[in-house]
Amino acid sequence: MNVNHRQISRKDFNLLYGRLNNRGRWGDADERGTLNYITPDKVVAAAALVKSGRSISMSIPIDKTAGPDNAHPAIHYMAQLHEDAEAGFATDFLGMQFHGDCHTHIDALCHISYGGLLYNGKPAASVTSAGAGRMDVTAFAEGVIGRGVLIDAARHRGVKWLEPGEAVTAAEIEAIEESSGVRLGEGDIMLFRTGQYRRRLEKGPWNVGAGGEGRAGLDPYSLLLLHERKVAAFLPEGDGEVAPSYVEGLDSPIHVLQVAAMGMLCADSLQLEELAAACVEENRYEFLVCVAPLRLPGGTGCPFNPIAVF
Amino acid sequence: MNVNHRQISRKDFNLLYGRLNNRGRWGDADERGTLNYITPDKVVAAAALVKSGRSISMSIPIDKTAGPDNAHPAIHYMAQLHEDAEAGFATDFLGMQFHGDCHTHIDALCHISYGGLLYNGKPAASVTSAGAGRMDVTAFAEGVIGRGVLIDAARHRGVKWLEPGEAVTAAEIEAIEESSGVRLGEGDIMLFRTGQYRRRLEKGPWNVGAGGEGRAGLDPYSLLLLHERKVAAFLPEGDGEVAPSYVEGLDSPIHVLQVAAMGMLCADSLQLEELAAACVEENRYEFLVCVAPLRLPGGTGCPFNPIAVF
Amino acid sequence: MNVNHRQISRKDFNLLYGRLNNRGRWGDADERGTLNYITPDKVVAAAALVKSGRSISMSIPIDKTAGPDNAHPAIHYMAQLHEDAEAGFATDFLGMQFHGDCHTHIDALCHISYGGLLYNGKPAASVTSAGAGRMDVTAFAEGVIGRGVLIDAARHRGVKWLEPGEAVTAAEIEAIEESSGVRLGEGDIMLFRTGQYRRRLEKGPWNVGAGGEGRAGLDPYSLLLLHERKVAAFLPEGDGEVAPSYVEGLDSPIHVLQVAAMGMLCADSLQLEELAAACVEENRYEFLVCVAPLRLPGGTGCPFNPIAVF
Amino acid sequence: MNVNHRQISRKDFNLLYGRLNNRGRWGDADERGTLNYITPDKVVAAAALVKSGRSISMSIPIDKTAGPDNAHPAIHYMAQLHEDAEAGFATDFLGMQFHGDCHTHIDALCHISYGGLLYNGKPAASVTSAGAGRMDVTAFAEGVIGRGVLIDAARHRGVKWLEPGEAVTAAEIEAIEESSGVRLGEGDIMLFRTGQYRRRLEKGPWNVGAGGEGRAGLDPYSLLLLHERKVAAFLPEGDGEVAPSYVEGLDSPIHVLQVAAMGMLCADSLQLEELAAACVEENRYEFLVCVAPLRLPGGTGCPFNPIAVF
């Protein structure tokens, strides 16, 4: 697979940003962005996909180990054990800087700014040391229940995983859809599998930063397809980015476009191994998805465990 | 309402414990307890309850403020702001001792022991400073998707909230079922509303400890009803306990019986105000419930945001 | 004692700020402020005060309990116990938002700004989410070793503690000096006792915030005395402030004047009960003081345990 | 330098343990161990060493970066910035699992057990999830003020640093003393330099665990010298251990002997580069040392910044 991408100039990126920009689409006060596509009828239709009653976790186990790809290991301490108690209560403390490369987490719309603006033209400065004054993760508090569609690029290519630097284009997404017998539509939740988690399991942690090995992800122009199809949320393995980036001067163009321009609920670092196997076994690539973000006032996201139900 | 309960001796409590004990019911290695009641067909049936597409959060906003009822305020810090960045990424850190009286959280089966034993006869000493070696919260990792049934004791009594010390008996649960046109059955998730959260909103934090005002909850013998009906999970406002306890020498008999004897997934400190209003509006007391526990290895529980879908 | 203070207008406060301002006194790049007064000969002279070899802690035990005066209880968890180990190593985790009313801590010079400026005219915006870029607590890393002088206002007044709202003036400091046979001089570390900690021990936690009972502390004009005498550091019980403040529109005028104008190392919430008793027993009010700030890059202060040696 | 050490059998280790054991020496209730050697006259004599007034930090800057040798990076977040405030207060949160290979910290006597016993024959089980019930770090709360003596093995050998696996024997300590013109005596605080910190600065982080490169430290029998001389405290670069260990089945024999048998205040991971340079410039290897442990109830140690004063 060619990883010698044509560079995208900042000028062209900005044109793309403009085409994807949903500012004002749901009113000036909107804080839910593309989740607006998930109308009640979409929820009802998604629930109707539950036929076998099988549920699947799409989360990586919370990682407490510092490593080349985990600069922010979760801290987890027992606060109380059952020591000598007739009726014992064991308790614990969990701390996470959850926006890390190894923690399955949600990005709230306040998480990312471009040119000083958040989604819907709101000032980035509204996020202060006191937390996000706008578009924090509580904007998603009622949960995201909808139709999930797995776009399994690794399976489509017949590889265990995409190699760092590789990009998936709109055309490839369409080819995957065709071979899977499924089509992303309005209000859908896109699960995007590159095999990155399997690579980590088999080859161990890797460096993902500036001097690291890079990541496989989406071609920035593929977002035009998601925009046109009115996709509501994006849940990838890894973070959906190609690294090194081939957009001039921007490390994370996908995040910028999805979150700041489109107002799309994104997540990072899912684990789609179990889901991919289940899709094969169930012979379908659509299912109910349940996302239940923590109700964290001011939060730029949260750790979570997205569930697929067949 | 009479709060002068007949005391339950420890001997009688132990007899009750024995009647409720599910040890061995699903095999010696079982770590999921009453979740075994939620068979795939129950999941499918629960999904069929989604008719209006409305979803509701049943979580209290994460509370960062120390107070008389919050000895363990969540800590939440911004790790990075959008400062001066062309493309900015705001991130944060969340830390929680989540088994607190003000944090909506799940109790894993390792959370509680009685007489040195966890559910299924496993040693309490298997929970060490390294975490729970058995029955940690990852035993629930695939999520809990099932039929929720609201037992709204406050509404049934025509009060804003039950007063501290009051208990709800099996007979009252049956009366509530009858007036609500719903019946707890095998694999159901019981939502139990006492109005405690509303009381907190209106009257402010209160003391819940030894010298505090107490709480309203379940009568211990009511668990025989849940046992017989094969209820799978219990999600209450508050923690389901009556305080002061009227079981000899035990502060939290409900937890002990549910978690250690029955192996029941329990939660604490839900917020059922929105759900109660929705049930009235939707004119039904059953709905789909989605519980998505964090995949925390060794964890005795986790914060969560349970979602109801009508 | 009169607590009906004459209000200080902001205009007068600003004039006082100007008189106390040490900007440029030790050069434009200085980050140590009044610690510059502690020249090597002062250190040698201070060490010569050690005659009986008795050392005293001036720290409150780290407080892990949330209370009316402790919105930020320290979190302290055991990370490992000696469980079953032939050679065991017990370890723990300590977390603190140490600028709290109950934690004995140092204020670095970056901690406080006035009119957008830190000490020495540096921009407050140099403190970002990444920490303090200037005048963090590491500017004090080599430790503060000097002569300590106890100004014991409670003892001088013959009371257990000063009442909330009471202020100590320059004249009273001079009277205390005279009765104690000691005089604050260049490079000295001022220990300031109001009896606040004893009050807490005897009467329990109290509210210190907006609606709380208030605190006893220094009259703002008393700082002219400290300035003239070239005092190097200020270590009080409480935080040295009178509450409610009688400076127009400013809650913490003492901190603003000491830290932002004078560049003085300040601390909060010392415990001077043991020191006060030792001064009486040793019959002197001067002694060696050792302050050893944590070497925390970017930190606005740190928890510490100041030691007096007689 | 030979690193092919003669293995020490567990039987021989236990004999050594017995010879070093201070159990009962200062009474059955003693919790201060060898600090008892620092009598008031020793404090006075140590203060008399202050002649030039120069003070030196012996702490590594607190390390927030996860790395091969830092599995527990400190977490440090800004709680509040000076945002838009006329009078601004920037605050932060610091969290540390301080017993790590990169954090300068104190080991309390409860930190280490051998054969189920802490120092003075107290049960290891007295350390519970609630913290240490005995011999926590508050036993050192009044501070440690005494004579420091630098044993600079790297300088004595004429190397930048000792290589992993190398051991310093009693004979070498005596040779270092002789060449330095100083002699460890009763109540002294031993600073032990291997050059490990310089190695880290020049060669970067290294692996210190089971599969890592190892460390240079003390030969276990050298502790007989410290015991005989009545050394009060041991403050090394690294942790004083030779790795791999050459004691049968024990990774950290030095810690076990010093802390559990001798009851000696130990520290880990000092930075003695500045001290070593100062000793050369001052042409003496003795000085005042100030250790001011945090007053952390139940703590097995604490981060600290030891200060040397010439």
Side-chain angles (χ1 to χ4, degrees):
Chain A
M1 185 61 45
N2 186 6
V3 296
N4 296 314
H5 308 289
R6 185 176 59 77
Q7 293 296 304
I8 299 175
S9 71
R10 184 59 73 89
K11 185 180 166 194
D12 283 346
F13 176 83
N14 288 340
L15 286 171
L16 179 58
Y17 191 98
R19 292 174 69 185
L20 296 172
N21 200 339
N22 281 326
R23 180 173 178 169
R25 177 183 281 238
W26 295 285
D28 180 63
D30 179 60
E31 302 200 342
R32 300 182 70 252
T34 55
L35 286 189
N36 285 291
Y37 291 132
I38 309 183
T39 49
D41 59 302
K42 300 291 184 193
V43 176
V44 174
L49 295 171
V50 176
K51 292 165 188 167
S52 67
R54 172 185 192 175
S55 64
I56 304 280
S57 168
M58 300 185 285
S59 170
I60 299 176
I62 290 177
D63 194 338
K64 311 171 193 175
T65 309
D69 57 351
N70 192 6
H72 301 292
I75 57 174
H76 182 220
Y77 298 110
M78 301 308 287
Q80 191 176 293
L81 300 179
H82 295 287
E83 289 148 334
D84 301 326
E86 188 183 4
F89 291 76
T91 61
D92 37 350
F93 172 88
L94 172 65
M96 295 182 74
Q97 184 170 333
F98 45 81
H99 288 290
D101 286 302
C102 292
H103 301 308
T104 304
H105 67 272
I106 291 174
D107 293 344
L109 297 187
C110 64
H111 174 47
I112 295 174
S113 63
Y114 188 63
L117 295 181
L118 305 173
Y119 163 69
N120 221 1
K122 296 302 180 283
S126 60
V127 183
T128 70
S129 59
R134 290 169 181 277
M135 289 182 282
D136 66 4
V137 72
T138 66
F140 307 150
E142 78 282 17
V144 181
I145 311 292
R147 184 176 84 134
V149 170
L150 174 62
I151 301 297
D152 188 339
R155 176 172 159 79
H156 182 254
R157 291 187 186 190
V159 297
K160 282 185 168 181
W161 52 75
L162 274 64
E163 293 298 334
E166 294 185 350
V168 172
T169 63
E172 187 170 1
I173 293 174
E174 289 180 309
I176 295 169
E177 288 180 329
E178 190 168 340
S179 69
S180 307
V182 75
R183 191 173 190 276
L184 287 166
E186 184 167 344
D188 280 352
I189 298 163
M190 174 175 166
L191 286 302
F192 179 61
R193 181 169 176 271
T194 58
Q196 179 169 324
Y197 186 66
R198 184 165 177 186
R199 185 174 191 273
R200 188 174 190 247
L201 288 180
E202 294 192 14
K203 300 189 68 169
W206 72 100
N207 291 314
V208 294
E213 297 182 33
R215 285 162 288 176
L218 286 183
D219 177 74
Y221 286 102
S222 71
L223 297 181
L224 288 168
L225 176 74
L226 276 65
H227 187 56
E228 178 194 321
R229 298 279 190 83
K230 300 185 176 174
V231 168
F234 178 68
L235 279 59
E237 289 193 321
D239 62 359
E241 302 285 351
V242 177
S245 167
Y246 49 98
V247 174
E248 180 187 356
L250 265 191
D251 278 342
S252 299
I254 300 298
H255 276 72
V256 169
L257 293 169
Q258 288 179 320
V259 179
M262 302 168 78
M264 179 177 283
L265 181 150
C266 292
D268 279 11
S269 300
L270 274 78
Q271 172 273 117
L272 301 179
E273 287 301 296
E274 297 170 51
L275 178 70
C279 283
V280 171
E281 290 165 19
E282 301 276 341
N283 195 29
R284 55 175 167 132
Y285 289 81
E286 61 173 2
F287 36 81
L288 177 69
V289 166
C290 301
V291 168
L294 293 179
R295 205 164 179 170
L296 174 60
T300 69
C302 65
F304 80 133
N305 179 9
I307 305 291
V309 192
F310 285 86
Chain B
M1 188 61 45
N2 186 6
V3 297
N4 296 314
H5 308 289
R6 187 177 57 79
Q7 293 295 305
I8 299 175
S9 70
R10 184 60 71 90
K11 183 180 168 195
D12 283 346
F13 176 84
N14 288 341
L15 287 172
L16 178 57
Y17 191 98
R19 291 174 69 186
L20 295 172
N21 200 340
N22 281 324
R23 180 172 178 171
R25 176 183 282 241
W26 295 284
D28 180 63
D30 180 59
E31 301 201 342
R32 300 182 70 250
T34 54
L35 287 189
N36 286 292
Y37 291 132
I38 308 184
T39 48
D41 59 301
K42 299 290 185 193
V43 176
V44 174
L49 295 171
V50 177
K51 291 165 188 166
S52 68
R54 173 185 192 174
S55 64
I56 303 279
S57 167
M58 299 184 286
S59 170
I60 299 176
I62 290 177
D63 194 337
K64 311 171 194 176
T65 307
D69 57 351
N70 192 7
H72 301 293
I75 58 174
H76 183 219
Y77 299 110
M78 302 307 288
Q80 189 176 293
L81 301 178
H82 296 287
E83 290 148 333
D84 301 327
E86 189 184 4
F89 290 76
T91 61
D92 38 349
F93 172 89
L94 172 65
M96 295 180 74
Q97 184 169 336
F98 45 82
H99 288 291
D101 285 301
C102 292
H103 301 307
T104 305
H105 66 271
I106 291 173
D107 292 344
L109 296 187
C110 64
H111 174 49
I112 295 173
S113 63
Y114 188 62
L117 296 181
L118 306 174
Y119 163 68
N120 220 1
K122 296 303 179 282
S126 61
V127 183
T128 70
S129 60
R134 289 168 182 277
M135 291 181 282
D136 66 4
V137 71
T138 66
F140 306 151
E142 78 282 16
V144 181
I145 311 292
R147 184 175 85 134
V149 169
L150 175 62
I151 300 298
D152 189 340
R155 177 174 159 77
H156 181 253
R157 293 188 185 188
V159 297
K160 280 185 169 182
W161 52 76
L162 274 64
E163 294 298 335
E166 293 184 352
V168 173
T169 62
E172 186 170 1
I173 292 174
E174 290 180 309
I176 294 169
E177 287 179 330
E178 188 167 342
S179 70
S180 306
V182 74
R183 191 172 191 275
L184 286 165
E186 183 167 345
D188 280 352
I189 298 163
M190 174 175 167
L191 287 300
F192 178 60
R193 181 169 175 271
T194 57
Q196 179 169 325
Y197 186 66
R198 185 165 176 184
R199 186 173 190 273
R200 189 174 190 245
L201 288 180
E202 294 192 15
K203 300 189 69 170
W206 71 101
N207 291 314
V208 295
E213 296 182 34
R215 285 162 286 177
L218 287 182
D219 176 74
Y221 287 101
S222 71
L223 298 181
L224 289 167
L225 177 74
L226 276 65
H227 186 57
E228 176 194 322
R229 299 279 191 85
K230 302 186 177 174
V231 167
F234 177 67
L235 279 59
E237 289 194 321
D239 61 359
E241 303 283 351
V242 177
S245 166
Y246 49 99
V247 175
E248 180 188 357
L250 265 191
D251 278 341
S252 300
I254 300 298
H255 276 72
V256 168
L257 294 168
Q258 288 179 320
V259 179
M262 301 168 79
M264 180 179 283
L265 182 150
C266 292
D268 279 12
S269 299
L270 274 78
Q271 171 273 118
L272 300 180
E273 287 302 295
E274 298 170 51
L275 178 71
C279 282
V280 172
E281 290 165 19
E282 301 276 341
N283 195 29
R284 54 175 168 132
Y285 290 80
E286 61 174 1
F287 36 81
L288 177 69
V289 167
C290 301
V291 169
L294 293 179
R295 205 163 179 172
L296 175 61
T300 69
C302 65
F304 80 133
N305 179 10
I307 304 292
V309 193
F310 286 86
Chain C
M1 187 61 46
N2 185 7
V3 297
N4 296 313
H5 309 288
R6 186 177 57 79
Q7 292 296 304
I8 299 175
S9 71
R10 185 59 73 89
K11 185 180 166 193
D12 283 345
F13 177 83
N14 287 341
L15 286 172
L16 178 58
Y17 192 98
R19 290 174 70 186
L20 295 172
N21 200 338
N22 282 325
R23 179 173 179 171
R25 176 184 281 240
W26 294 285
D28 180 63
D30 179 61
E31 301 200 343
R32 301 182 69 249
T34 55
L35 287 188
N36 286 291
Y37 290 132
I38 308 183
T39 48
D41 59 302
K42 300 292 185 192
V43 176
V44 174
L49 295 170
V50 176
K51 291 165 188 166
S52 67
R54 173 184 191 175
S55 64
I56 304 278
S57 168
M58 300 185 285
S59 171
I60 300 175
I62 290 177
D63 195 338
K64 311 171 194 175
T65 309
D69 58 351
N70 192 7
H72 301 291
I75 57 174
H76 182 219
Y77 298 109
M78 300 309 286
Q80 191 176 292
L81 300 178
H82 295 287
E83 288 147 335
D84 301 327
E86 187 184 5
F89 291 76
T91 61
D92 37 349
F93 172 89
L94 172 65
M96 295 181 75
Q97 184 170 333
F98 45 82
H99 288 292
D101 286 302
C102 292
H103 301 308
T104 305
H105 67 272
I106 291 173
D107 292 345
L109 297 187
C110 64
H111 174 47
I112 295 174
S113 63
Y114 187 62
L117 295 181
L118 305 174
Y119 163 68
N120 221 0
K122 296 302 180 284
S126 60
V127 183
T128 70
S129 60
R134 289 168 182 278
M135 290 182 283
D136 66 4
V137 72
T138 67
F140 306 150
E142 77 282 16
V144 181
I145 311 292
R147 183 175 85 134
V149 170
L150 174 63
I151 301 297
D152 188 340
R155 176 171 160 79
H156 182 253
R157 293 188 185 189
V159 296
K160 281 184 169 182
W161 51 75
L162 274 64
E163 293 298 334
E166 294 184 349
V168 173
T169 62
E172 186 170 2
I173 292 174
E174 289 179 309
I176 295 169
E177 287 179 329
E178 190 168 339
S179 70
S180 307
V182 74
R183 191 172 190 275
L184 285 166
E186 184 166 342
D188 280 352
I189 298 163
M190 175 176 166
L191 286 301
F192 179 60
R193 181 168 176 271
T194 58
Q196 179 170 323
Y197 186 66
R198 185 165 176 184
R199 186 173 191 273
R200 188 175 191 245
L201 288 180
E202 294 193 15
K203 301 188 68 170
W206 71 100
N207 290 314
V208 295
E213 297 182 33
R215 286 162 287 176
L218 287 182
D219 177 74
Y221 286 102
S222 71
L223 297 181
L224 288 167
L225 176 74
L226 276 65
H227 187 57
E228 178 194 322
R229 299 279 189 84
K230 301 186 175 172
V231 168
F234 177 68
L235 278 60
E237 288 194 321
D239 62 359
E241 304 283 351
V242 177
S245 167
Y246 49 99
V247 174
E248 179 188 357
L250 265 190
D251 278 340
S252 300
I254 300 298
H255 276 71
V256 169
L257 294 168
Q258 288 179 319
V259 179
M262 301 169 78
M264 180 178 282
L265 182 151
C266 292
D268 280 11
S269 300
L270 274 78
Q271 171 274 115
L272 300 179
E273 286 302 294
E274 297 169 51
L275 178 70
C279 283
V280 171
E281 290 165 19
E282 301 276 341
N283 195 30
R284 55 176 168 130
Y285 290 81
E286 61 173 3
F287 35 81
L288 177 69
V289 166
C290 301
V291 169
L294 293 179
R295 206 164 177 170
L296 174 61
T300 69
C302 64
F304 80 132
N305 179 9
I307 305 291
V309 193
F310 286 87
Chain D
M1 186 62 43
N2 185 8
V3 297
N4 296 314
H5 308 288
R6 187 176 56 80
Q7 293 296 304
I8 299 174
S9 70
R10 184 59 73 89
K11 183 179 168 196
D12 284 345
F13 176 84
N14 287 342
L15 287 171
L16 178 58
Y17 191 98
R19 292 174 68 186
L20 296 172
N21 201 340
N22 282 324
R23 179 171 179 173
R25 176 182 282 238
W26 295 284
D28 181 63
D30 179 60
E31 301 201 343
R32 300 182 70 249
T34 54
L35 287 188
N36 286 292
Y37 290 133
I38 309 184
T39 49
D41 59 303
K42 300 291 185 193
V43 176
V44 174
L49 295 170
V50 177
K51 291 165 189 168
S52 67
R54 174 184 191 175
S55 65
I56 304 278
S57 167
M58 299 185 285
S59 170
I60 299 176
I62 290 177
D63 195 338
K64 311 171 194 174
T65 309
D69 57 352
N70 192 7
H72 301 292
I75 59 174
H76 182 220
Y77 298 110
M78 301 307 288
Q80 191 175 293
L81 301 178
H82 295 287
E83 289 148 335
D84 300 328
E86 188 184 4
F89 291 75
T91 60
D92 37 350
F93 172 89
L94 172 65
M96 294 181 75
Q97 185 170 335
F98 45 82
H99 287 292
D101 286 301
C102 292
H103 300 308
T104 304
H105 66 272
I106 291 173
D107 293 344
L109 296 187
C110 63
H111 174 47
I112 295 174
S113 63
Y114 187 63
L117 295 181
L118 305 174
Y119 163 69
N120 221 1
K122 295 302 179 284
S126 61
V127 183
T128 70
S129 59
R134 288 169 182 275
M135 290 181 284
D136 66 3
V137 72
T138 66
F140 306 150
E142 78 282 17
V144 181
I145 312 291
R147 184 176 84 133
V149 169
L150 174 62
I151 300 297
D152 189 340
R155 176 173 161 78
H156 182 254
R157 292 189 185 187
V159 297
K160 281 184 169 183
W161 52 75
L162 274 64
E163 294 298 335
E166 294 184 351
V168 173
T169 62
E172 186 170 1
I173 293 174
E174 289 179 308
I176 294 170
E177 288 180 328
E178 189 168 341
S179 69
S180 306
V182 74
R183 191 172 191 274
L184 287 165
E186 184 167 344
D188 281 351
I189 298 163
M190 175 176 166
L191 287 301
F192 179 60
R193 182 169 175 269
T194 57
Q196 179 169 325
Y197 186 66
R198 185 164 175 185
R199 186 174 191 273
R200 188 174 189 245
L201 288 180
E202 293 191 16
K203 300 189 70 170
W206 73 101
N207 291 314
V208 295
E213 296 181 33
R215 285 162 288 175
L218 287 182
D219 176 74
Y221 286 102
S222 71
L223 296 181
L224 289 167
L225 177 74
L226 276 64
H227 186 58
E228 177 194 321
R229 299 278 191 85
K230 302 185 176 174
V231 168
F234 177 67
L235 279 60
E237 289 194 320
D239 61 359
E241 302 283 351
V242 177
S245 166
Y246 50 98
V247 174
E248 180 188 356
L250 265 190
D251 278 340
S252 300
I254 300 298
H255 276 71
V256 168
L257 294 169
Q258 288 179 320
V259 179
M262 301 168 79
M264 180 177 284
L265 181 151
C266 292
D268 280 11
S269 300
L270 274 78
Q271 171 275 116
L272 300 179
E273 287 300 295
E274 297 170 51
L275 178 70
C279 283
V280 171
E281 290 165 19
E282 301 276 341
N283 195 31
R284 54 176 167 131
Y285 289 80
E286 60 173 2
F287 36 81
L288 177 70
V289 166
C290 302
V291 168
L294 294 179
R295 205 163 179 171
L296 174 61
T300 69
C302 65
F304 81 132
N305 179 10
I307 305 291
V309 192
F310 285 87

